Amino acid sequence: VFDGTGSEGSLTFIFQSSYGSDTGWLASVSCYKPIPRPTNLQSTVLAVNKTRLQWNDNSDDETGFVIERSVNAPSLYSPIGQIGSNSTSFVDSLVPDNAVINYRIRAIRDTINSFYSEVIVGVTYSMTG
């Protein structure tokens, strides 16, 4: 995997044969415009088991956003929603009781993903306990 950026917008690859193998090789290069990651992720409790997430959309050509959540396991995220382009909020209405919740967001453009936003952490309590 190569990752390169430059003000000139170019990257040069040089391939050399191993001279000891006749099996050949295959190279594939794909170029794409990176997607800026969402920033300033914030959460607001709206009601019991309902939280609004808001963030800054830093891209002008994403096709959507994927919202991920982990419950009591900060490294085990699962997607909980995908919304369209130019969105800056999402309401999670299935927030579990008595849990530590981590959220993160990423922008998408077709099959390209941005880096994740910062993680926001919240603690929920039971209203019956």
Side-chain angles (χ1 to χ4, degrees):
V1 174
F2 296 98
D3 184 16
T5 59
S7 60
E8 306 86 35
S10 65
L11 183 61
T12 303
F13 295 92
I14 299 173
F15 295 95
Q16 294 180 322
S17 171
S18 67
Y19 300 109
S21 171
D22 60 356
T23 59
W25 50 272
L26 172 68
S28 176
V29 176
S30 298
C31 298
Y32 61 90
K33 176 183 163 189
I35 307 170
R37 72 185 184 106
T39 56
N40 198 30
L41 179 59
Q42 300 176 15
S43 67
T44 305
V45 175
L46 300 176
V48 175
N49 303 100
K50 193 172 189 178
T51 298
R52 172 176 307 183
L53 301 173
Q54 293 180 284
W55 61 89
N56 293 340
D57 174 2
N58 297 313
S59 177
D60 60 358
D61 64 351
E62 82 279 345
T63 56
F65 293 89
V66 175
I67 296 86
E68 295 184 2
R69 173 180 71 192
S70 73
V71 179
N72 296 325
S75 62
L76 298 175
Y77 284 88
S78 297
I80 60 167
Q82 184 168 332
I83 56 177
S85 63
N86 301 317
S87 300
T88 57
S89 69
F90 175 83
V91 175
D92 182 1
S93 54
L94 299 173
V95 178
D97 288 344
N98 299 314
V100 177
I101 309 294
N102 294 322
Y103 291 101
R104 66 186 185 183
I105 311 287
R106 64 185 160 95
I108 57 173
R109 181 186 335 108
D110 302 321
T111 60
I112 307 300
N113 298 312
S114 73
F115 288 111
Y116 286 104
S117 68
E118 60 273 274
V119 172
I120 188 123
V121 180
V123 178
T124 62
Y125 302 95
S126 173
M127 294 302 285
T128 59

